[in-house]
Amino acid sequence: MGFPQIQFLNLLAILIIIASSPSSLSATPPNFPIAKPKCTDRCGNLSIPYPFGTTPECYHNYSFFVTCNQTFNPPKPFLWNSSLEITDISRDGQLRILQFIAHDCYSRNGTRVSSNRPWLYFPSSLTVNSTANKFTIIGCDTYGFIYGRRLNRNYSTGCTARCEAKDDLIEGSCTGLGCCQASIPKQVWRMELSLGSYRNYSDVWSFDNCSHAFLVEESAFRFSSENLTNLGNVEKLPMVVDWAIGNGTCEEAKRNASSYACKSVNSKCYKPDNGYGYRCSCLAGYQGNPYLIDGCQDINECEDPHLNICEKRCVNTIGSFHCVCPKGYHGDGEKDGRGCIRGQSLALKFAAGISSGIIVLLLIAAWLRVELKRRRKIKTRQKFFLQNGGVLLQEKITKRAKSSYAATTIFSELQLQKATNNFHKDMIIGQGGFGTVYKGFLSDNRIVAIKKSKKVNTDQVEQFINEVIILSQINHRNIVKLLGCCLETKVPLLVYEFISNGTLFEHIHDETKAHFLSWEMRLKIAAETANVLAYLHSAASTPIIHRDVKSANILLDDNLIAKVSDFGDSRLVPLDQTQLSTMVHGTSGYLDPEYMQTNKLTAKSDVYSFGVVLVELLTGKTALSFARPEEDRNLANLFLSVMKQERLFEILEDNVVKEGNNEQLMKVAMVAKSCLYVKGDDRPSMKEVAMELEGLILGEKHTWIQTGHSGEDKQSMLEAGFSGSINVGEGNSASIGFDSVEDHIMLPEDRGR
Ligand SMILES: *[C@@H]1O[C@H](CO)[C@@H](O)[C@H](O)[C@H]1NC(C)=O
Ligand SMILES: *[C@@H]1O[C@H](CO)[C@@H](O)[C@H](O)[C@H]1NC(C)=O
Ligand SMILES: *[C@@H]1O[C@H](CO)[C@@H](O)[C@H](O)[C@H]1NC(C)=O
Ligand SMILES: *[C@@H]1O[C@H](CO)[C@@H](O)[C@H](O)[C@H]1NC(C)=O
Ligand SMILES: *[C@@H]1O[C@H](CO)[C@@H](O)[C@H](O)[C@H]1NC(C)=O
Ligand SMILES: *[C@@H]1O[C@H](CO)[C@@H](O)[C@H](O)[C@H]1NC(C)=O
Ligand SMILES: *[C@@H]1O[C@H](CO)[C@@H](O)[C@H](O)[C@H]1NC(C)=O
Ligand SMILES: *[C@@H]1O[C@H](CO)[C@@H](O)[C@H](O)[C@H]1NC(C)=O
Ligand SMILES: *[C@@H]1O[C@H](CO)[C@@H](O)[C@H](O)[C@H]1NC(C)=O
Ligand SMILES: *[C@@H]1O[C@H](CO)[C@@H](O)[C@H](O)[C@H]1NC(C)=O
Ligand SMILES: *[C@@H]1O[C@H](CO)[C@@H](O)[C@H](O)[C@H]1NC(C)=O
Ligand SMILES: *[C@@H]1O[C@H](CO)[C@@H](O)[C@H](O)[C@H]1NC(C)=O
C-alpha cells in the first residue's frame, strides 16, 4: 500500500513550504495598491478602490463603474454614466453619492408652478443603506411618498409635514411640524420621490410656497426653519448606498473560484448587514484591498505602538507579532513581554529540554494512533466495496468500456462526503421508504442528487449491480440519468443528475404551482411519461418494469420536461417471460389491484399506475386521501364511478376545465379509464397509451387498433434510443436475484442481437 507514503511526502512538502514562506513575504510594502495594476485609482481627490474602476478592465462589474469627468476642476467622479456624483467610497461597503431633491411649488392663487419626481434605479450589487439614510419632507402643507422596489416587490412609505405659522417650527427637530422623517427598510434598490399638498398652499403661502422631499444621510441634515425657503436653491443632497458583490451568499460564491471576488489569500468572505450579496475583508493582522490578488498585506504591528503591547522587543511575523525578551533575559515569549526574567538558570534549561522531549514523544504517539485508525477505515471501505460487488461492477465496466460510450463512474466515499458536506442534514432533499436523497456539489461543479438506499443484503448485490449498469446506460431525455455509484459504504450510494424543479406531485398539489401548470403542459408531461414507460417496456434487450410509477417519482426540470426517477423497485423482465412473481411493491393509491391479488408482475401494472397519474393530472386530486368519504378515498375508484355517472366535468381541476377543450378532455379521461381496467389484459399497452396521448396533442384522430402507419417511426425511435448500449452478462448467463423466486429469472444468453 503506497498510500501512507504519499501522504507522508505531502506532509513533508507542506512543512517545507510553511518553513520557507515567511522569508519570502515578510517585507512590508511601502503602500498598498487599491486598484488593479495599470488602473487609475483616483478621480479628483476621490480614491477609487477595486471593485470600482473607471474602465471595463478595471472594474468588477458595470455596477462598479465610475466615470471621471475631466471637464471639472478638480475632475468629478460619477456613478456609471449617470449624473449622480460620488463623494466617497469606503472599502467596508458604503458609497456616498449626491442625490436629487424633489420640489413642489405653488403660486399665490393655488396653482402648481413647478414640480419634479426624481428617481433612482440601482443595478444589482447596490442598495440604499437603511440605517444611515432618512426619507425627509420639508413644507407646511405637504405629504410625500417614496415608492420603490425591495427584493422583487413594490414598496412605499411616506409622511406628512404641516404647520400654521412660521413659529410652529422647531430648530433641529423633525417631528411633523414643517419637517417629517421616515425610516426605510433594508434592500431597497429602486426609489422614486413624490410630493403633494392638502390645500394647494393657500393657507400658508405667505411664508411657505414650496415643499421638498429627499432621501438624505441623516447626519448630514439638520432641520432649520430657514430650510422652508433656502432649500429651493439646493439641487442635491448626500445619501449612503451599500455595495456588495453579486446577490448570492458566500457559500454560493465560493463554489465558482473564477468569479469569487475575495481574491486575496489572506482575505475572508462575510455577509453584509442587509444580507444581500457578499463582501470581503482582510484577515486580522493584514490590511489592504481583499478584492485584489495579494491585496491583503501583513501589518507591521511593531512599527505602530497602538498595535503592539510589547514592553521590550517586538518581532513582526506574517499576520501577527510576538514580543521577545532582550539578551540576558529569558521568559516564555508572551505577547506583552512581561515575564522576562534576568539570567538563565541551568535547572530551567534542563526542565525545558525534558518537557520538549516529552511533547515530541506525545506528538508521535498521537500521529501513530490517527494513522492506525485511518488504515483501519480504509480496510472497512475495501470490505464494503467487495461486499457490495465492487469487483463485479468494475469487471463489467472495464469490459464494457471498450464498446460503449456511457460511463458509470464509481465514486469514492470521500468524494461524496465532500459533495454533501459529510451528508449534512441541510443537504437532504428527499426522504422516504427508499432511503434518503441528498443534494451534492461535486468538485467539478456538477450538481448531483445522491441516494442513500436502505440496506441491501448480500444476495441482492448482483441484482443491484445489474440495475446500476442498465440504468447508467439508459440515455433517454425523460429518465433521470444515473451518473454512478459508491460501494465503499455499508449501503451503496447512487449518484444521479440533479433535477431542479421538484416533483410532478408538488406541481399538481401545491396550489400556487398548480395554478401555473396549464392543461397543455399537463398533457405534454403525461405523454412524455407514457412514452418513456413504453420505451422501458418494449426496450430491445431487457424490458424494465418500473413498479413504482407515481407523480412523486416524476421529476420536472426547469423547462417542465418530465424525468422519471426512482428505479429502486424496478425489475428487469427477460424477453422470454412476460410476467414475474414478486413480493408486492409499490405505493398505495397507485397499486394495480390485479398484481395485489396474484403477485404476478407484468408491464400492465405500470399501465395502471400511470392511469392514476393521468387522473391526478386531470383532477388535481391526490391518489389517496382520507379527507374524502370512504368509498372515494381511492382516486381511481372515485374517477371510475364519476365516469360511470357521466359526471366527469364535475371533478376536473378548474384550470383544466377552463383551458382544455371538452372533446380532448373526454378522450384523455377515456385513456385513463382504460388504463384502470381491473384485468391487466384489458388495459392498453404503454405504447398504445403514449401514441394516443401524442395523437391528442397533435390533434389527430387515433384509436387503439389503428396503430399501423404511425407506429413505424415510433418503433424506430425506440430502437434508436437504445442502440449500442445494453448487453448484460455477455455470454455467461448471469442470474439476477429477484425478491422471491430466483430460479425464475435467468437472463437469456443472447440478449444482445
Ligand atoms: C478635494 O480637493 C479640493 C481641492 O483640490 C480640496 O479643497 C478639498 O478639501 C478636497 N477634499 C477632500 C475630502 O480631500
Ligand atoms: C462632463 O460634464 C459636462 C458638464 O456637466 C458634460 O457636458 C459632459 O458631457 C460630461 N462629460 C462626460 C464624459 O460625461
Ligand atoms: C446609461 O447607460 C444605460 C445602458 O448601459 C442606458 O440605458 C442609459 O440610457 C444611459 N444613461 C445615460 C444618462 O446616458
Ligand atoms: C416663493 O417665495 C419665494 C420667497 O419667499 C419667492 O422668491 C418665490 O418666487 C416664490 N415662488 C413662487 C412660485 O411664487
Ligand atoms: C394663477 O397664477 C398663475 C401664475 O401666477 C397664472 O398663470 C394663472 O392664470 C392664475 N390662475 C388663476 C385662476 O388666477
Ligand atoms: C409596482 O410599481 C410600478 C411602478 O411604480 C407599477 O407600474 C406596478 O403596477 C406596481 N406593481 C404592483 C403589484 O403594485
Ligand atoms: C387645488 O388645485 C386644484 C387645481 O389646481 C383644484 O382642483 C383643487 O380644488 C384645489 N384644492 C384646494 C383645496 O384648493
Ligand atoms: C438648512 O438651513 C440651514 C440654515 O440656513 C443651512 O445651514 C443648511 O445648509 C440648510 N440645509 C440644507 C440641506 O440646505
Ligand atoms: C453584474 O453582476 C450582477 C450580479 O453579480 C449580474 O447580475 C449582472 O449581470 C452583472 N452585470 C454585468 C454588466 O456584467
Ligand atoms: C441573482 O441574480 C440573478 C440574475 O441577476 C437572478 O437570476 C437570481 O435570482 C438572483 N438571486 C437572488 C438570490 O436574488
Ligand atoms: C464561473 O464564473 C465564470 C466567470 O464569471 C463564468 O464564466 C462561469 O460560467 C461560471 N461557472 C459556473 C459553473 O457557474
Ligand atoms: C449603513 O452604513 C453604515 C455606515 O454608514 C454601516 O455601518 C451600516 O452597516 C450600513 N447599513 C447596512 C444595512 O448595511
Side-chain angles (χ1 to χ4, degrees):
M1 197 177 288
F3 204 42
Q5 273 158 341
I6 293 171
Q7 283 267 304
F8 183 66
L9 284 181
N10 269 344
L11 195 71
L12 219 72
I14 290 168
L15 281 177
I16 289 169
I17 290 167
I18 290 173
S20 61
S21 56
S23 54
S24 58
L25 286 174
S26 57
T28 314
N31 51 16
F32 302 105
I34 60 163
K36 279 188 161 183
K38 296 193 202 137
C39 288
T40 354
D41 61 359
R42 196 145 270 283
C43 176
N45 50 15
L46 173 81
S47 67
I48 306 174
Y50 185 77
F52 290 86
T54 52
T55 58
E57 308 81 60
C58 293
Y59 57 73
H60 172 75
N61 180 303
Y62 187 78
S63 304
F64 302 108
F65 173 37
V66 176
T67 308
C68 194
N69 192 329
Q70 305 285 350
T71 55
F72 297 93
N73 187 16
K76 277 190 182 175
F78 293 90
L79 201 50
W80 330 302
N81 57 0
S82 72
S83 43
L84 298 168
E85 187 185 340
I86 304 174
T87 57
D88 187 35
I89 297 176
S90 99
R91 258 176 275 156
D92 306 328
Q94 271 81 39
L95 183 68
R96 194 168 284 118
I97 61 171
L98 297 179
Q99 151 68 352
F100 292 91
I101 302 185
H103 301 289
D104 189 29
C105 294
Y106 293 82
S107 66
R108 182 188 293 278
N109 63 17
T111 49
R112 180 179 261 162
V113 284
S114 70
S115 156
N116 68 333
R117 283 168 74 111
W119 56 269
L120 184 54
Y121 182 101
F122 290 128
S124 64
S125 298
L126 302 185
T127 48
V128 176
N129 181 305
S130 59
T131 48
N133 299 306
K134 282 280 183 300
F135 174 57
T136 308
I137 290 179
I138 308 291
C140 277
D141 177 16
T142 300
Y143 58 82
F145 291 103
I146 176 169
Y147 299 101
R149 297 281 288 175
R150 193 180 158 266
L151 302 175
N152 271 327
R153 285 188 287 277
N154 281 353
Y155 146 80
S156 81
T157 189
C159 66
T160 293
R162 310 189 72 161
C163 71
E164 289 184 0
K166 205 163 183 186
D167 53 352
D168 277 347
L169 308 178
I170 306 168
E171 286 299 305
S173 157
C174 202
T175 51
L177 290 168
C179 173
C180 73
Q181 281 188 327
S183 300
I184 56 160
K186 292 175 178 178
Q187 297 174 317
V188 172
W189 54 270
R190 183 200 156 121
M191 50 172 254
E192 180 173 355
L193 306 177
S194 97
L195 278 169
S197 130
Y198 294 100
R199 301 184 45 80
N200 295 344
Y201 272 74
S202 46
D203 303 335
V204 295
W205 196 87
S206 57
F207 62 93
D208 178 24
N209 58 13
C210 280
S211 42
H212 315 276
F214 41 87
L215 197 62
V216 69
E217 183 177 5
E218 196 179 11
S219 59
F221 177 76
R222 182 178 183 276
F223 176 64
S224 145
S225 59
E226 286 159 51
N227 293 139
L228 281 186
T229 43
N230 70 13
L231 271 174
N233 308 318
V234 180
E235 200 188 9
K236 300 172 182 179
L237 285 174
M239 72 176 267
V240 179
V241 175
D242 286 329
W243 61 268
I245 308 286
N247 61 2
T249 63
C250 285
E251 286 66 39
E252 281 160 16
K254 275 176 194 161
R255 255 174 244 142
N256 188 344
S258 65
S259 63
Y260 182 50
C262 306
K263 295 284 186 218
S264 176
V265 194
N266 298 309
S267 68
K268 62 173 193 277
C269 181
Y270 71 95
K271 196 175 143 169
D273 283 348
N274 67 15
Y276 202 70
Y278 66 95
R279 292 195 199 126
C280 312
S281 67
C282 288
L283 297 175
Y286 297 85
Q287 68 183 34
N289 188 338
Y291 300 94
L292 296 172
I293 298 169
D294 290 339
C296 291
Q297 311 223 354
D298 175 47
I299 303 170
N300 189 344
E301 289 89 350
C302 295
E303 282 173 1
D304 184 344
H306 298 295
L307 293 177
N308 76 72
I309 33 169
C310 295
E311 243 180 17
K312 312 278 181 190
R313 228 163 61 116
C314 170
V315 172
N316 185 42
T317 59
I318 298 302
S320 185
F321 68 98
H322 62 243
C323 305
V324 292
C325 299
K327 248 203 165 86
Y329 286 74
H330 65 86
D332 51 5
E334 265 307 303
K335 288 223 167 190
D336 63 359
R338 268 164 255 223
C340 291
I341 303 161
R342 192 174 185 99
Q344 275 182 342
S345 78
L346 208 69
L348 253 175
K349 261 188 186 171
F350 190 65
I354 287 182
S355 56
S356 59
I358 289 173
I359 288 172
V360 168
L361 278 178
L362 281 177
L363 280 178
I364 290 176
W367 182 77
L368 276 176
R369 226 182 99 112
V370 170
E371 178 61 23
L372 275 178
K373 224 175 165 178
R374 203 178 60 80
R375 286 192 190 192
R376 221 175 294 143
K377 203 164 169 193
I378 288 176
K379 275 226 172 95
T380 355
R381 278 193 191 145
Q382 281 184 333
K383 195 186 91 196
F384 285 134
F385 186 79
L386 292 178
Q387 188 179 316
N388 285 331
V391 174
L392 188 69
L393 183 58
Q394 239 164 8
E395 249 172 38
K396 289 199 170 169
I397 287 173
T398 33
K399 234 190 230 170
R400 182 155 292 101
K402 295 167 204 138
S403 59
S404 150
Y405 56 90
T408 318
T409 314
I410 298 188
F411 291 92
S412 72
E413 185 184 5
L414 215 66
Q415 244 175 324
L416 298 186
Q417 269 173 358
K418 244 166 112 185
T420 55
N421 194 6
N422 209 1
F423 297 101
H424 196 271
K425 65 177 192 317
D426 289 350
M427 306 293 269
I428 294 180
I429 51 176
Q431 231 162 353
F434 52 82
T436 312
V437 183
Y438 297 85
K439 185 176 182 176
F441 299 94
L442 296 185
S443 51
D444 58 4
N445 283 334
R446 270 189 298 172
I447 306 181
V448 294
I450 298 169
K451 188 157 100 175
K452 204 171 187 175
S453 312
K454 288 201 163 159
K455 200 174 170 180
V456 174
N457 68 42
T458 14
D459 41 318
Q460 287 179 317
V461 162
E462 208 170 324
Q463 164 205 345
F464 167 78
I465 300 294
N466 269 323
E467 277 192 25
V468 168
I469 287 190
I470 285 179
L471 277 186
S472 68
Q473 302 218 355
I474 293 177
N475 199 359
H476 191 289
R477 75 194 281 264
N478 296 120
I479 290 184
V480 175
K481 194 162 171 54
L482 180 70
L483 302 173
C485 59
C486 169
L487 305 166
E488 292 173 356
T489 46
K490 208 166 189 173
V491 287
L493 301 170
L494 300 180
V495 182
Y496 296 90
E497 67 173 321
F498 179 73
I499 308 295
S500 49
N501 212 349
T503 66
L504 177 60
F505 183 89
E506 289 162 25
H507 282 261
I508 296 178
H509 302 299
D510 178 312
E511 243 171 70
T512 44
K513 285 187 179 174
H515 187 70
F516 291 106
L517 194 62
S518 66
W519 167 242
E520 196 189 346
M521 237 349 137
R522 286 168 195 251
L523 191 53
K524 184 195 76 107
I525 291 167
E528 279 170 352
T529 309
N531 199 14
V532 74
L533 290 174
Y535 161 76
L536 293 171
H537 290 173
S538 55
S541 43
T542 315
I544 298 163
I545 297 178
H546 186 286
R547 282 228 297 186
D548 201 9
V549 175
K550 56 179 173 181
S551 54
N553 277 344
I554 299 168
L555 305 182
L556 297 176
D557 74 1
D558 286 334
N559 302 318
L560 294 182
I561 290 175
K563 305 260 183 188
V564 173
S565 80
D566 202 346
F567 289 78
D569 276 336
S570 307
R571 290 296 172 261
L572 303 163
V573 188
L575 269 191
D576 54 355
Q577 278 168 336
T578 54
Q579 61 178 48
L580 291 173
S581 292
T582 69
M583 302 231 297
V584 175
H585 274 238
T587 306
S588 44
Y590 296 90
L591 251 175
D592 173 7
E594 191 183 49
Y595 171 47
M596 267 196 285
Q597 282 169 10
T598 61
N599 283 14
K600 297 267 188 273
L601 178 68
T602 71
K604 293 294 175 71
S605 299
D606 278 355
V607 176
Y608 183 90
S609 309
F610 175 78
V612 178
V613 174
L614 203 50
V615 176
E616 248 182 299
L617 280 166
L618 278 165
T619 63
K621 297 191 193 309
T622 49
L624 198 65
S625 167
F626 290 97
R628 296 197 286 260
E630 195 173 345
E631 65 276 18
D632 293 341
R633 268 182 199 163
N634 195 309
L635 181 59
N637 293 347
L638 171 64
F639 174 76
L640 290 176
S641 82
V642 166
M643 284 293 278
K644 208 169 185 178
Q645 300 164 25
E646 301 190 335
R647 292 193 296 123
L648 169 68
F649 287 87
E650 288 169 29
I651 67 158
L652 292 185
E653 214 243 13
D654 296 345
N655 276 335
V656 169
V657 176
K658 260 184 254 160
E659 294 165 13
N661 80 50
N662 289 359
E663 193 194 352
Q664 196 187 39
L665 290 175
M666 198 62 211
K667 281 191 174 152
V668 174
M670 292 305 291
V671 174
K673 186 179 155 193
S674 66
C675 292
L676 297 176
Y677 284 139
V678 175
K679 284 189 67 182
D681 289 341
D682 296 343
R683 297 174 206 152
S685 72
M686 222 49 241
K687 197 159 130 194
E688 286 167 327
V689 171
M691 277 166 41
E692 183 71 16
L693 292 177
E694 277 181 3
L696 283 173
I697 288 177
L698 298 173
E700 283 170 19
K701 277 203 160 150
H702 270 268
T703 61
W704 296 122
I705 311 103
Q706 184 194 337
T707 52
H709 69 285
S710 55
E712 252 165 47
D713 45 310
K714 177 89 11 113
Q715 182 63 42
S716 57
M717 190 198 84
L718 285 174
E719 279 175 7
F722 230 63
S723 67
S725 50
I726 303 176
N727 186 359
V728 182
E730 275 169 15
N732 58 338
S733 60
S735 78
I736 42 177
F738 290 104
D739 292 338
S740 46
V741 268
E742 263 145 73
D743 43 353
H744 256 249
I745 307 122
M746 305 285 284
L747 286 179
E749 301 209 348
D750 62 337
R751 244 163 292 98
R753 293 164 12 131

